[in-house]
Amino acid sequence: MLLDEASVTGTANIIMAAVLAKGITTVYNAACEPYLQQLCAMLNRMGAKITGIGSNLLYIEGVSKLNGTDHTILPDMIEIGSFIGLAAMTQSEITIRNCRVDMLGMIPETFRKLGIKLEIRGDDIFIPSQEHTKSKILLTLNTHCGRFTMARIHA
């Protein structure tokens, strides 16, 4: 199956249907966000047979049944980024706990490029009170076929 667009919801729906379908399903241009990686890992613990996790090419071998499992969902990365920005803008000190720092990708480094100080403390992020800066930020927006495709921040 070739997805026209790497859709998180579309990829999740295909994965959930394919794990119990007969045969092998190949998903091309699959979304590969951390939320999908955790869905695949959870389904594999339940007895699914999914390979290619974390890439845009998934192979799913259907199984006849799934078993139960325990699972802890990822924290919301948008909320984590919002709290970092909020702390910086209000010059507040904050600790965000249980962030799953290993799954945040470029979020911490992007805030650092903007001049926001933060410390990774295990799985927590500490944002100290920020000094007011007068840094200039240039935001470059790219579009393709009239649709927003990428933003680049130049601090």
Side-chain angles (χ1 to χ4, degrees), residues 77-136:
M77 291 182 287
I78 294 171
E79 286 185 4
I80 292 169
S82 296
F83 280 119
I84 294 170
L86 178 67
M89 288 186 297
T90 61
Q91 297 178 303
S92 301
E93 180 180 295
I94 187 173
T95 299
I96 308 169
R97 300 207 183 280
N98 303 316
C99 292
R100 285 296 308 266
V101 173
D102 61 316
M103 300 296 273
L104 288 178
M106 60 196 283
I107 292 173
E109 188 56 34
T110 300
F111 280 105
R112 286 185 179 115
K113 285 181 182 178
L114 293 171
I116 296 171
K117 297 178 184 88
L118 57 92
E119 300 170 19
I120 306 298
R121 296 179 175 175
D123 213 20
D124 302 338
I125 299 176
F126 171 72
I127 302 94
S129 178
Q130 309 289 308
E131 297 175 14
H132 252 344
T133 63
K134 293 185 179 184
S135 62
K136 294 180 182 178

Short mmCIF file of all heavy atoms in Angstrom, two decimals, residues 77-136:
data_model
loop_
_atom_site.label_atom_id
_atom_site.label_comp_id
_atom_site.label_asym_id
_atom_site.label_seq_id
_atom_site.Cartn_x
_atom_site.Cartn_y
_atom_site.Cartn_z
N MET A 77 4.33 15.72 22.90
CA MET A 77 5.52 16.52 22.57
C MET A 77 5.17 17.98 22.32
O MET A 77 5.97 18.87 22.61
CB MET A 77 6.23 15.93 21.36
CG MET A 77 6.87 14.60 21.66
SD MET A 77 7.75 13.93 20.26
CE MET A 77 6.39 13.42 19.23
N ILE A 78 3.99 18.25 21.79
CA ILE A 78 3.57 19.63 21.56
C ILE A 78 3.39 20.34 22.91
O ILE A 78 3.79 21.50 23.07
CB ILE A 78 2.29 19.68 20.72
CG1 ILE A 78 2.58 19.14 19.32
CG2 ILE A 78 1.73 21.10 20.65
CD1 ILE A 78 1.37 18.94 18.45
N GLU A 79 2.82 19.65 23.88
CA GLU A 79 2.67 20.25 25.20
C GLU A 79 4.02 20.50 25.85
O GLU A 79 4.23 21.54 26.48
CB GLU A 79 1.82 19.36 26.11
CG GLU A 79 0.36 19.39 25.78
CD GLU A 79 -0.49 18.60 26.76
OE1 GLU A 79 0.06 18.08 27.75
OE2 GLU A 79 -1.69 18.50 26.53
N ILE A 80 4.96 19.58 25.69
CA ILE A 80 6.30 19.78 26.25
C ILE A 80 6.92 21.03 25.64
O ILE A 80 7.44 21.89 26.35
CB ILE A 80 7.19 18.54 26.03
CG1 ILE A 80 6.67 17.37 26.88
CG2 ILE A 80 8.65 18.85 26.35
CD1 ILE A 80 7.29 16.05 26.56
N GLY A 81 6.85 21.16 24.31
CA GLY A 81 7.38 22.34 23.66
C GLY A 81 6.68 23.61 24.10
O GLY A 81 7.30 24.65 24.30
N SER A 82 5.36 23.52 24.30
CA SER A 82 4.60 24.69 24.76
C SER A 82 5.03 25.12 26.15
O SER A 82 5.18 26.32 26.42
CB SER A 82 3.10 24.37 24.75
OG SER A 82 2.65 24.11 23.44
N PHE A 83 5.25 24.15 27.05
CA PHE A 83 5.69 24.49 28.40
C PHE A 83 7.09 25.10 28.39
O PHE A 83 7.37 26.03 29.16
CB PHE A 83 5.64 23.28 29.32
CG PHE A 83 4.27 22.96 29.85
CD1 PHE A 83 3.67 21.75 29.58
CD2 PHE A 83 3.58 23.89 30.62
CE1 PHE A 83 2.40 21.46 30.06
CE2 PHE A 83 2.32 23.62 31.11
CZ PHE A 83 1.72 22.39 30.83
N ILE A 84 7.97 24.60 27.53
CA ILE A 84 9.32 25.19 27.42
C ILE A 84 9.20 26.65 26.97
O ILE A 84 9.79 27.55 27.57
CB ILE A 84 10.22 24.39 26.46
CG1 ILE A 84 10.50 22.99 27.02
CG2 ILE A 84 11.54 25.15 26.20
CD1 ILE A 84 11.17 22.05 26.03
N GLY A 85 8.42 26.88 25.94
CA GLY A 85 8.24 28.24 25.44
C GLY A 85 7.57 29.15 26.45
O GLY A 85 7.97 30.31 26.62
N LEU A 86 6.57 28.63 27.15
CA LEU A 86 5.87 29.41 28.16
C LEU A 86 6.81 29.82 29.29
O LEU A 86 6.82 30.98 29.71
CB LEU A 86 4.70 28.60 28.73
CG LEU A 86 3.88 29.25 29.83
CD1 LEU A 86 3.12 30.44 29.28
CD2 LEU A 86 2.92 28.24 30.43
N ALA A 87 7.63 28.88 29.75
CA ALA A 87 8.58 29.20 30.82
C ALA A 87 9.56 30.27 30.36
O ALA A 87 9.86 31.21 31.10
CB ALA A 87 9.33 27.93 31.24
N ALA A 88 10.05 30.14 29.12
CA ALA A 88 11.02 31.12 28.62
C ALA A 88 10.38 32.50 28.47
O ALA A 88 10.97 33.50 28.88
CB ALA A 88 11.58 30.65 27.27
N MET A 89 9.18 32.56 27.92
CA MET A 89 8.53 33.86 27.70
C MET A 89 8.15 34.56 29.00
O MET A 89 8.18 35.78 29.08
CB MET A 89 7.27 33.68 26.85
CG MET A 89 7.58 33.36 25.41
SD MET A 89 6.11 33.32 24.38
CE MET A 89 5.18 31.96 25.08
N THR A 90 7.81 33.80 30.02
CA THR A 90 7.39 34.40 31.30
C THR A 90 8.55 34.50 32.28
O THR A 90 8.34 34.91 33.42
CB THR A 90 6.25 33.59 31.93
OG1 THR A 90 6.69 32.26 32.18
CG2 THR A 90 5.02 33.59 31.03
N GLN A 91 9.75 34.12 31.83
CA GLN A 91 10.95 34.13 32.66
C GLN A 91 10.73 33.34 33.94
O GLN A 91 11.18 33.71 35.02
CB GLN A 91 11.37 35.57 32.97
CG GLN A 91 11.75 36.35 31.73
CD GLN A 91 12.11 37.77 32.04
OE1 GLN A 91 11.32 38.51 32.61
NE2 GLN A 91 13.32 38.15 31.67
N SER A 92 10.03 32.21 33.81
CA SER A 92 9.73 31.35 34.95
C SER A 92 10.65 30.15 34.96
O SER A 92 11.13 29.71 33.93
CB SER A 92 8.27 30.87 34.88
OG SER A 92 7.39 31.96 34.86
N GLU A 93 10.86 29.60 36.13
CA GLU A 93 11.61 28.36 36.29
C GLU A 93 10.62 27.22 36.34
O GLU A 93 9.62 27.29 37.06
CB GLU A 93 12.41 28.44 37.59
CG GLU A 93 13.23 27.21 37.87
CD GLU A 93 13.99 27.36 39.18
OE1 GLU A 93 14.87 28.23 39.26
OE2 GLU A 93 13.67 26.61 40.11
N ILE A 94 10.88 26.17 35.58
CA ILE A 94 9.95 25.05 35.55
C ILE A 94 10.71 23.76 35.31
O ILE A 94 11.75 23.75 34.65
CB ILE A 94 8.88 25.26 34.45
CG1 ILE A 94 7.79 24.19 34.50
CG2 ILE A 94 9.50 25.31 33.07
CD1 ILE A 94 6.63 24.43 33.56
N THR A 95 10.21 22.67 35.89
CA THR A 95 10.71 21.33 35.59
C THR A 95 9.57 20.53 34.99
O THR A 95 8.49 20.45 35.57
CB THR A 95 11.22 20.62 36.86
OG1 THR A 95 12.30 21.39 37.42
CG2 THR A 95 11.72 19.22 36.55
N ILE A 96 9.80 19.98 33.82
CA ILE A 96 8.81 19.13 33.16
C ILE A 96 9.26 17.70 33.37
O ILE A 96 10.35 17.31 32.96
CB ILE A 96 8.71 19.45 31.65
CG1 ILE A 96 8.49 20.96 31.44
CG2 ILE A 96 7.58 18.64 31.01
CD1 ILE A 96 8.66 21.39 30.00
N ARG A 97 8.46 16.93 34.05
CA ARG A 97 8.85 15.57 34.45
C ARG A 97 8.39 14.51 33.45
O ARG A 97 7.39 14.67 32.79
CB ARG A 97 8.28 15.26 35.82
CG ARG A 97 8.78 16.21 36.90
CD ARG A 97 8.76 15.56 38.27
NE ARG A 97 9.17 16.50 39.30
CZ ARG A 97 10.41 16.81 39.58
NH1 ARG A 97 11.39 16.27 38.90
NH2 ARG A 97 10.70 17.67 40.54
N ASN A 98 9.16 13.42 33.41
CA ASN A 98 8.82 12.24 32.61
C ASN A 98 8.54 12.59 31.14
O ASN A 98 7.51 12.24 30.59
CB ASN A 98 7.62 11.51 33.21
CG ASN A 98 7.87 11.11 34.64
OD1 ASN A 98 8.95 10.61 34.97
ND2 ASN A 98 6.90 11.35 35.50
N CYS A 99 9.51 13.25 30.52
CA CYS A 99 9.35 13.77 29.16
C CYS A 99 9.64 12.75 28.06
O CYS A 99 9.36 13.02 26.91
CB CYS A 99 10.28 14.96 28.94
SG CYS A 99 9.82 16.39 29.89
N ARG A 100 10.23 11.61 28.41
CA ARG A 100 10.72 10.68 27.40
C ARG A 100 11.67 11.43 26.45
O ARG A 100 11.47 11.50 25.25
CB ARG A 100 9.59 10.02 26.63
CG ARG A 100 8.84 8.94 27.36
CD ARG A 100 9.68 7.70 27.71
NE ARG A 100 10.41 7.12 26.60
CZ ARG A 100 9.96 6.13 25.85
NH1 ARG A 100 8.79 5.61 26.08
NH2 ARG A 100 10.69 5.65 24.87
N VAL A 101 12.70 12.00 27.05
CA VAL A 101 13.67 12.81 26.33
C VAL A 101 14.21 12.06 25.12
O VAL A 101 14.47 12.67 24.07
CB VAL A 101 14.80 13.26 27.28
CG1 VAL A 101 15.91 13.97 26.53
CG2 VAL A 101 14.23 14.15 28.38
N ASP A 102 14.34 10.75 25.22
CA ASP A 102 14.87 9.95 24.11
C ASP A 102 13.98 10.00 22.88
O ASP A 102 14.42 9.67 21.78
CB ASP A 102 15.08 8.50 24.56
CG ASP A 102 13.79 7.82 25.01
OD1 ASP A 102 13.01 8.46 25.75
OD2 ASP A 102 13.56 6.67 24.62
N MET A 103 12.73 10.43 23.01
CA MET A 103 11.80 10.47 21.89
C MET A 103 11.50 11.90 21.42
O MET A 103 10.69 12.09 20.52
CB MET A 103 10.49 9.78 22.27
CG MET A 103 10.62 8.33 22.65
SD MET A 103 11.18 7.29 21.30
CE MET A 103 9.62 6.92 20.53
N LEU A 104 12.14 12.91 22.01
CA LEU A 104 11.82 14.29 21.67
C LEU A 104 12.49 14.79 20.39
O LEU A 104 12.16 15.86 19.91
CB LEU A 104 12.18 15.24 22.82
CG LEU A 104 11.28 15.15 24.04
CD1 LEU A 104 11.77 16.09 25.14
CD2 LEU A 104 9.84 15.47 23.67
N GLY A 105 13.43 14.02 19.86
CA GLY A 105 14.08 14.43 18.63
C GLY A 105 14.76 15.78 18.76
O GLY A 105 15.51 16.03 19.69
N MET A 106 14.45 16.68 17.85
CA MET A 106 15.15 17.97 17.77
C MET A 106 14.53 19.06 18.62
O MET A 106 15.01 20.19 18.62
CB MET A 106 15.18 18.42 16.31
CG MET A 106 13.81 18.59 15.69
SD MET A 106 13.81 18.69 13.91
CE MET A 106 14.36 20.33 13.63
N ILE A 107 13.50 18.76 19.39
CA ILE A 107 12.82 19.80 20.18
C ILE A 107 13.77 20.51 21.14
O ILE A 107 13.86 21.74 21.10
CB ILE A 107 11.59 19.22 20.91
CG1 ILE A 107 10.53 18.83 19.88
CG2 ILE A 107 11.02 20.20 21.92
CD1 ILE A 107 9.34 18.08 20.45
N PRO A 108 14.50 19.82 22.01
CA PRO A 108 15.39 20.55 22.93
C PRO A 108 16.44 21.40 22.19
O PRO A 108 16.68 22.56 22.55
CB PRO A 108 16.06 19.45 23.76
CG PRO A 108 15.12 18.30 23.68
CD PRO A 108 14.52 18.38 22.31
N GLU A 109 17.05 20.83 21.16
CA GLU A 109 18.10 21.57 20.44
C GLU A 109 17.53 22.79 19.72
O GLU A 109 18.20 23.82 19.62
CB GLU A 109 18.81 20.64 19.45
CG GLU A 109 20.03 21.26 18.80
CD GLU A 109 21.05 21.77 19.81
OE1 GLU A 109 21.22 21.18 20.90
OE2 GLU A 109 21.71 22.80 19.51
N THR A 110 16.32 22.70 19.21
CA THR A 110 15.69 23.84 18.54
C THR A 110 15.49 24.99 19.52
O THR A 110 15.77 26.15 19.19
CB THR A 110 14.36 23.43 17.91
OG1 THR A 110 14.61 22.39 16.95
CG2 THR A 110 13.69 24.59 17.21
N PHE A 111 15.04 24.69 20.73
CA PHE A 111 14.89 25.74 21.73
C PHE A 111 16.24 26.33 22.12
O PHE A 111 16.37 27.54 22.33
CB PHE A 111 14.14 25.23 22.97
CG PHE A 111 12.65 25.20 22.77
CD1 PHE A 111 11.99 24.00 22.57
CD2 PHE A 111 11.90 26.37 22.77
CE1 PHE A 111 10.62 23.97 22.38
CE2 PHE A 111 10.53 26.35 22.59
CZ PHE A 111 9.88 25.15 22.39
N ARG A 112 17.28 25.49 22.20
CA ARG A 112 18.62 26.00 22.50
C ARG A 112 19.09 26.96 21.41
O ARG A 112 19.72 27.97 21.69
CB ARG A 112 19.60 24.84 22.67
CG ARG A 112 19.43 24.09 23.97
CD ARG A 112 20.51 23.02 24.13
NE ARG A 112 20.36 22.32 25.38
CZ ARG A 112 20.07 21.02 25.49
NH1 ARG A 112 19.90 20.27 24.40
NH2 ARG A 112 19.96 20.46 26.67
N LYS A 113 18.80 26.64 20.14
CA LYS A 113 19.19 27.52 19.04
C LYS A 113 18.51 28.88 19.15
O LYS A 113 19.03 29.88 18.66
CB LYS A 113 18.83 26.88 17.70
CG LYS A 113 19.75 25.77 17.29
CD LYS A 113 19.34 25.20 15.95
CE LYS A 113 20.22 24.05 15.54
NZ LYS A 113 19.81 23.47 14.26
N LEU A 114 17.36 28.91 19.79
CA LEU A 114 16.65 30.17 20.00
C LEU A 114 17.18 30.92 21.21
O LEU A 114 16.68 31.99 21.55
CB LEU A 114 15.15 29.90 20.18
CG LEU A 114 14.43 29.37 18.95
CD1 LEU A 114 13.02 28.94 19.30
CD2 LEU A 114 14.41 30.43 17.86
N GLY A 115 18.17 30.35 21.88
CA GLY A 115 18.77 31.01 23.04
C GLY A 115 18.12 30.65 24.36
O GLY A 115 18.40 31.27 25.38
N ILE A 116 17.24 29.67 24.35
CA ILE A 116 16.56 29.26 25.59
C ILE A 116 17.43 28.23 26.29
O ILE A 116 17.81 27.22 25.72
CB ILE A 116 15.16 28.70 25.29
CG1 ILE A 116 14.30 29.81 24.67
CG2 ILE A 116 14.52 28.12 26.54
CD1 ILE A 116 12.98 29.35 24.13
N LYS A 117 17.74 28.52 27.55
CA LYS A 117 18.55 27.60 28.34
C LYS A 117 17.64 26.52 28.90
O LYS A 117 16.57 26.80 29.44
CB LYS A 117 19.25 28.35 29.46
CG LYS A 117 20.23 29.40 28.98
CD LYS A 117 20.86 30.14 30.16
CE LYS A 117 21.76 31.23 29.68
NZ LYS A 117 21.07 32.50 29.46
N LEU A 118 18.09 25.28 28.77
CA LEU A 118 17.38 24.17 29.39
C LEU A 118 18.37 23.08 29.72
O LEU A 118 19.42 22.98 29.11
CB LEU A 118 16.23 23.66 28.52
CG LEU A 118 16.55 23.20 27.09
CD1 LEU A 118 16.82 21.72 27.06
CD2 LEU A 118 15.35 23.52 26.22
N GLU A 119 18.04 22.29 30.72
CA GLU A 119 18.91 21.20 31.16
C GLU A 119 18.12 19.90 31.13
O GLU A 119 17.00 19.84 31.62
CB GLU A 119 19.40 21.45 32.59
CG GLU A 119 20.19 22.72 32.78
CD GLU A 119 20.44 23.02 34.26
OE1 GLU A 119 20.33 22.09 35.09
OE2 GLU A 119 20.74 24.18 34.57
N ILE A 120 18.75 18.88 30.58
CA ILE A 120 18.17 17.54 30.61
C ILE A 120 18.65 16.88 31.90
O ILE A 120 19.86 16.77 32.14
CB ILE A 120 18.61 16.70 29.39
CG1 ILE A 120 18.29 17.44 28.08
CG2 ILE A 120 17.99 15.31 29.44
CD1 ILE A 120 16.85 17.72 27.82
N ARG A 121 17.73 16.48 32.73
CA ARG A 121 18.06 15.83 34.01
C ARG A 121 17.35 14.48 34.04
O ARG A 121 16.21 14.38 34.46
CB ARG A 121 17.59 16.69 35.18
CG ARG A 121 18.31 18.04 35.26
CD ARG A 121 17.79 18.85 36.42
NE ARG A 121 18.56 20.10 36.59
CZ ARG A 121 18.24 21.02 37.47
NH1 ARG A 121 17.20 20.87 38.28
NH2 ARG A 121 18.97 22.11 37.56
N GLY A 122 18.08 13.48 33.54
CA GLY A 122 17.46 12.16 33.43
C GLY A 122 16.37 12.22 32.37
O GLY A 122 16.64 12.52 31.21
N ASP A 123 15.14 11.98 32.77
CA ASP A 123 14.01 12.05 31.85
C ASP A 123 13.20 13.33 32.04
O ASP A 123 12.10 13.45 31.52
CB ASP A 123 13.12 10.82 32.02
CG ASP A 123 12.47 10.39 30.72
OD1 ASP A 123 12.98 10.77 29.65
OD2 ASP A 123 11.45 9.69 30.77
N ASP A 124 13.74 14.27 32.81
CA ASP A 124 13.08 15.54 33.07
C ASP A 124 13.81 16.65 32.31
O ASP A 124 14.99 16.53 31.99
CB ASP A 124 13.09 15.88 34.56
CG ASP A 124 12.42 14.82 35.42
OD1 ASP A 124 11.60 14.04 34.88
OD2 ASP A 124 12.72 14.77 36.62
N ILE A 125 13.09 17.74 32.07
CA ILE A 125 13.70 18.93 31.47
C ILE A 125 13.50 20.08 32.46
O ILE A 125 12.37 20.37 32.86
CB ILE A 125 13.06 19.29 30.12
CG1 ILE A 125 13.24 18.15 29.12
CG2 ILE A 125 13.67 20.59 29.58
CD1 ILE A 125 12.57 18.39 27.79
N PHE A 126 14.62 20.70 32.84
CA PHE A 126 14.58 21.86 33.72
C PHE A 126 14.84 23.09 32.88
O PHE A 126 15.82 23.17 32.14
CB PHE A 126 15.65 21.74 34.82
CG PHE A 126 15.80 22.98 35.64
CD1 PHE A 126 14.82 23.35 36.55
CD2 PHE A 126 16.91 23.79 35.48
CE1 PHE A 126 14.96 24.51 37.30
CE2 PHE A 126 17.06 24.95 36.23
CZ PHE A 126 16.07 25.31 37.14
N ILE A 127 13.94 24.08 32.96
CA ILE A 127 14.10 25.35 32.28
C ILE A 127 14.29 26.40 33.36
O ILE A 127 13.35 26.69 34.12
CB ILE A 127 12.89 25.70 31.39
CG1 ILE A 127 12.65 24.62 30.33
CG2 ILE A 127 13.12 27.04 30.68
CD1 ILE A 127 11.68 23.60 30.71
N PRO A 128 15.51 26.96 33.49
CA PRO A 128 15.72 28.00 34.50
C PRO A 128 15.08 29.31 34.04
O PRO A 128 14.76 29.46 32.85
CB PRO A 128 17.24 28.12 34.56
CG PRO A 128 17.71 27.69 33.21
CD PRO A 128 16.72 26.66 32.75
N SER A 129 14.92 30.23 34.95
CA SER A 129 14.41 31.55 34.60
C SER A 129 15.33 32.16 33.54
O SER A 129 16.55 32.16 33.69
CB SER A 129 14.36 32.42 35.85
OG SER A 129 13.92 33.71 35.53
N GLN A 130 14.76 32.64 32.47
CA GLN A 130 15.52 33.17 31.34
C GLN A 130 15.69 34.68 31.47
O GLN A 130 14.78 35.37 31.94
CB GLN A 130 14.80 32.87 30.01
CG GLN A 130 14.39 31.43 29.83
CD GLN A 130 15.55 30.50 29.57
OE1 GLN A 130 16.36 30.74 28.69
NE2 GLN A 130 15.62 29.42 30.34
N GLU A 131 16.85 35.16 31.05
CA GLU A 131 17.04 36.60 30.96
C GLU A 131 16.38 37.07 29.68
O GLU A 131 16.30 36.34 28.70
CB GLU A 131 18.54 36.93 30.89
CG GLU A 131 19.31 36.51 32.12
CD GLU A 131 20.81 36.76 31.93
OE1 GLU A 131 21.18 37.49 31.00
OE2 GLU A 131 21.57 36.22 32.73
N HIS A 132 15.89 38.31 29.70
CA HIS A 132 15.32 38.86 28.47
C HIS A 132 16.42 39.02 27.44
O HIS A 132 17.48 39.54 27.73
CB HIS A 132 14.69 40.23 28.74
CG HIS A 132 13.20 40.21 28.71
ND1 HIS A 132 12.45 39.20 28.17
CD2 HIS A 132 12.30 41.12 29.16
CE1 HIS A 132 11.18 39.47 28.28
NE2 HIS A 132 11.06 40.64 28.90
N THR A 133 16.18 38.56 26.25
CA THR A 133 17.15 38.73 25.17
C THR A 133 16.50 39.54 24.06
O THR A 133 15.28 39.60 23.95
CB THR A 133 17.60 37.37 24.61
OG1 THR A 133 16.47 36.73 24.05
CG2 THR A 133 18.23 36.51 25.66
N LYS A 134 17.32 40.15 23.28
CA LYS A 134 16.82 40.90 22.14
C LYS A 134 17.29 40.22 20.86
O LYS A 134 17.62 40.87 19.88
CB LYS A 134 17.31 42.34 22.19
CG LYS A 134 16.73 43.13 23.34
CD LYS A 134 17.14 44.57 23.27
CE LYS A 134 16.51 45.34 24.42
NZ LYS A 134 16.80 46.76 24.37
N SER A 135 17.31 38.88 20.88
CA SER A 135 17.75 38.16 19.69
C SER A 135 16.68 38.29 18.61
O SER A 135 15.50 38.38 18.88
CB SER A 135 18.01 36.70 20.02
OG SER A 135 16.84 36.08 20.46
N LYS A 136 17.14 38.33 17.39
CA LYS A 136 16.24 38.41 16.26
C LYS A 136 16.04 37.01 15.71
O LYS A 136 16.98 36.25 15.56
CB LYS A 136 16.81 39.33 15.18
CG LYS A 136 16.92 40.76 15.62
CD LYS A 136 17.50 41.62 14.53
CE LYS A 136 17.65 43.04 15.04
NZ LYS A 136 18.25 43.90 14.04
#
